[in-house]
Structures are given as structure tokens and as C-alpha cells.
Amino acid sequence: LEVELAVVEEQAARGEVPVEAARALRAHARIDPARMREIEAEVQHDIIAFVSAVAETVGDPARYLHLGLTSSDVVDTGFALQLRDAADLLLATLDGLRAAVKVQALRHRRTRMIGRTHGIHAEPITFGLKCAGWYAELGRDRRRLVAARAEIAYGKLSGAVGTFANIEPAVEREVCARLGLTPEPLATQVVPRDRHAVFFAVLAVLGGSCERIATEVRHLQRTEVGEAAEPFGAGQKGSSAMPHKRNPILAENLAGLARLLRGYATASLENIALWHERDISHSSVERVIGPDATIVADFMLARLTRVIEGLEVHAEVMATNLARLGGAIFSEQVLLALVRRGVMRDQAYRWIQRHVLAGGDVQARLAADPDITVHLTRAELAGLFDIDYHL
């Protein structure tokens, strides 16, 4: 309705429609969904039903409604407004999540833990560094969403097959300006669907970022790891059968919802190729994925914010796990020191590997190996087991 009224008002400003009619439409035009459904049941066309139902609320001025327009002019321009405004809501929710992640990054900038690759202990990091990585990624997501907002904020009023046969290009330009949109440079009967595909793809990438964080929380909460845990209410129960259970259900929920966003993105990509100047195969898809994808994304951001804000970080367990390999996590430092003393890299690697894979006190084992101590003194060797060097 806002699109229709903006067109009438611009036409009135250009002398193409009586100003009084435009004012009457603005003052009295109303939407009655029940009446629209009644009309649509007969005519089998949603926009005709919309225009007819609105016309019944205003009388004679209704003849100036939808003047020179085709259905897609109204639908596509209205959809652009919805997606643009949805992007604004998502950006606000995303900012809340980034703020929560930033708090944890600063709070735990010196909370030591083991970094893992392939799920296996690698070298020391801090939990704050892990959170800072999330913060950086969410910043990229924000920039992509801002760009997608601009990509989708295009309207069109060029009529059937996009030739401006019954409406001036200047009207399109001015109406889009009124609505805060940009005129589509060249529409067919619809705004090209590559714009929409970009928008939904960005939501899918955003969902992937949320899933990456959620998956990390799930791994850290595993009983064998126990380094962090999502919030758990005082009266919450984890299992109908096992009272001891405390499951990462919020994080698991996020992983599932991310799959939906990826599916919606795939559907939007399928919408790009329409027949000739348009068909309506995209329409049914967008009626589902438009509201669903934006609501799912917003829910995910809000839920993940709750997880991050209430995250339990078990620094003492992180410290215990950090020490599990008896100093083996410093193997690269020893390797590099030997290489710098003239040992061939492969030879040095094999000397060290036979000790670190054997377990126990790695530093003591290395210090007792004459192949190594001929190149490094015990004091020099001890200096290589300094965690602060990594941090």
C-alpha cells in the first residue's frame, strides 16, 4: 500500500492525478486481509484482490490506484522495503552479539588454553584469542550484510516487461527516492533475482559463522574436554532419563538452524533463472524464505548472544588440559632451535618426535638425549618451554 500511495502522490505532483484524489487515498485507503482473501478466492490473483479490497475503502479516488503499474512493480518494490528493513533489524541484533563476544575476548585475553588442530593438541593460545577470531569474523559478516542491504534496496515501476510504456521513468526515480530505494537500472517485469540471491547467501554465511561459534562451544563442553559450557538454568533439566546430563542444546539448535539458512540460499540461487521477462516460479519460494530466513537469522543471533553472555569458562580445566602432554606442545620451539644450530630439519624432527610421542616429561627426556644436548644446553632447552613466548 505504501508503494501504491507513493506512486499516486508522485503522479499528483506531476499533474497526472488530481491532488484531492491522492490526499483522499492517503487519508482513507486501508487494508482488510479478510476481504482480500474473499476476492482472491474468486479472481485467483493476489494483487488484483489487494487493489480491489483497498478500492472498496476509498470510493471514486480508487480509480487512480495502480495507475500504469503491473503487479511486480508493487510486489518487488514492497519486497525490497521489507528486506531492507529486515537487514536493519539484523544489523542491530548482530551488533549485540559482537558486543557480547568482545566482552569475552577482553575478559579472557590471558586465559591460557591449548589450541587444537584436527581436534588434537597443537600449541598454546588464549581463550580471548579464540573469541577475538569470532569477533573479527562477525565484523566481516556485518560488512557483508551492509553490502547486501544496499544490493537489495532496489525498486522498479517500469510496468509489464519493463518498457515504461505506461509510466514515466521519472516517476520511478522519484517514488524510489521517497521510499529510500534505488531504481533498478534495467528491470524486465521483475527486479533481477541475482540481488535477492546475494542477500540470502549473505544470511547463510552469517548462519555459518554462528554455527562455527556454536560448534566450538559444543566441543569445549564435551565431558572429556570440559573447558567451557553454555548457560544452564537453576531449574533446567538435561535429560528425561538421566539427571546428571547437561547438554549443549542451545548450541546444537544453532547448528540445525544454520542448515535452514543454507537451504534458503540454495532456493534463492534457483530463483535467478526465470523464463524470458519473468515467470512466477520465484514467487512461491520467496513467500517462504523471505520471512523465514530473516526470522531464523535474527533468532540465531539472539540465541547465540545469550550463549556468549552466559558462557561458563573453566580456566582451571583449560590449564589442566594444557599440561596433559607433558611439554610436547613446545616441540616446534625445540625443532627451530636445533635447525638454527645447524641440524638438518628432518633429522631434528625425528630426534624430537621419538621423545614427544613416548609421553612423560618431555623436557627431561630431551635434556637426557646426547644428540640434542650437543647442540643445546640444558638451560637453553629449558628456555624453549616458556609459554609466554607463544602469548
Side-chain angles (χ1 to χ4, degrees):
L1 180 59
E2 186 56 39
V3 174
E4 294 276 11
L5 294 177
V7 171
V8 172
E9 288 168 345
E10 179 56 31
Q11 290 171 328
R14 298 170 62 83
E16 299 170 6
V17 166
V19 173
E20 295 76 13
R23 289 173 178 167
L25 286 169
R26 172 63 70 178
H28 303 295
R30 297 291 181 269
I31 295 173
D32 182 346
R35 179 59 180 147
M36 287 168 57
R37 283 191 291 271
E38 287 180 6
I39 299 172
E40 187 175 358
E42 176 186 351
V43 302
Q44 298 297 303
H45 194 290
D46 56 352
I47 298 302
I48 292 175
F50 156 72
V51 174
S52 299
V54 172
E56 292 176 351
T57 70
V58 292
D60 183 66
R63 62 195 176 96
Y64 298 107
L65 204 63
H66 206 67
L67 195 64
L69 301 178
T70 190
S71 298
S72 292
D73 290 331
V74 182
V75 172
D76 278 13
T77 305
F79 196 30
L81 292 173
Q82 290 176 304
L83 292 177
R84 180 201 66 189
D85 294 349
D88 289 337
L89 294 173
L90 290 169
L91 285 166
T93 315
L94 176 55
D95 286 342
L97 172 58
R98 292 187 75 222
V101 171
K102 181 178 181 179
V103 167
Q104 293 287 20
L106 294 173
R107 179 180 296 156
H108 294 287
R109 62 191 303 167
R110 303 190 189 284
T111 302
R112 299 170 177 181
M113 66 180 300
I114 188 64
R116 297 174 173 89
T117 58
H118 304 276
I120 306 301
H121 285 209
E123 293 188 356
I125 61 171
T126 70
F127 186 66
L129 180 65
K130 188 183 293 287
C131 293
W134 301 342
Y135 183 81
E137 181 170 348
L138 292 171
R140 295 191 294 276
D141 287 320
R142 192 186 199 285
R143 291 190 291 276
R144 283 188 283 260
L145 186 52
V146 168
R149 180 193 185 279
E151 177 89 8
I152 202 62
Y154 279 75
K156 64 90 58 180
L157 300 171
S158 53
V161 301
T163 59
F164 290 102
N166 294 301
I167 200 163
E168 291 286 336
V171 172
E172 178 188 77
R173 183 175 63 250
E174 294 303 320
V175 169
C176 284
R178 287 170 182 258
L179 299 173
L181 301 175
T182 302
E184 178 60 44
L186 202 161
T188 55
Q189 189 160 324
V190 296
V191 171
R193 258 44 197 178
D194 59 290
R195 294 192 181 279
H196 304 73
V198 167
F199 184 86
F200 290 107
V202 166
L203 294 190
V205 173
L206 175 60
S209 295
C210 292
E211 183 183 17
R212 183 171 87 91
I213 298 171
T215 299
E216 184 68 19
V217 172
R218 292 170 65 194
H219 279 308
L220 296 179
Q221 188 164 329
R222 284 182 299 136
T223 305
E224 294 82 358
V225 179
E227 294 179 354
E230 67 177 41
F232 194 81
Q236 188 172 339
K237 297 180 180 179
S239 165
S240 63
M242 297 166 284
H244 72 277
K245 292 281 282 178
R246 179 175 172 176
N247 302 323
I249 58 171
L250 302 178
E252 289 172 341
N253 173 252
L254 288 165
L257 292 175
R259 297 168 191 169
L260 283 179
L261 291 182
R262 288 192 285 275
Y264 298 147
T266 298
S268 72
L269 291 167
E270 297 289 338
N271 277 350
I272 294 175
L274 303 179
W275 285 18
H276 303 298
E277 277 57 59
R278 78 127 179 179
D279 58 51
I280 62 163
S281 59
H282 64 289
S283 176
S284 54
V285 175
E286 289 169 356
R287 289 166 196 253
V288 175
I289 70 174
D292 279 14
T294 50
I295 290 170
V296 166
D298 192 62
F299 180 86
M300 289 181 70
L301 293 169
R303 169 149 288 185
L304 185 55
T305 301
R306 174 187 167 194
V307 169
I308 296 300
E309 288 177 341
L311 193 67
E312 297 179 13
V313 179
H314 302 148
E316 70 288 351
V317 179
M318 290 179 174
T320 299
N321 287 340
L322 189 59
R324 281 175 65 95
L325 295 188
I329 58 176
F330 298 102
S331 65
E332 184 184 11
Q333 300 310 109
V334 181
L335 173 65
L336 294 176
L338 289 171
V339 170
R340 291 184 179 112
R341 293 294 171 86
V343 181
M344 294 300 293
R345 183 183 181 89
D346 187 64
Q347 183 62 70
Y349 194 105
R350 293 181 184 279
W351 287 346
I352 298 166
Q353 188 180 44
R354 68 193 181 201
H355 294 299
V356 295
L357 295 184
D361 186 336
V362 173
Q363 183 179 341
R365 292 179 63 91
L366 293 173
D369 186 332
D371 287 333
I372 292 175
T373 55
V374 72
H375 299 284
L376 297 171
T377 67
R378 290 176 180 268
E380 288 173 330
L381 195 58
L384 299 175
F385 286 74
D386 179 11
I387 194 170
D388 288 333
Y389 176 86
H390 289 269
L391 308 178

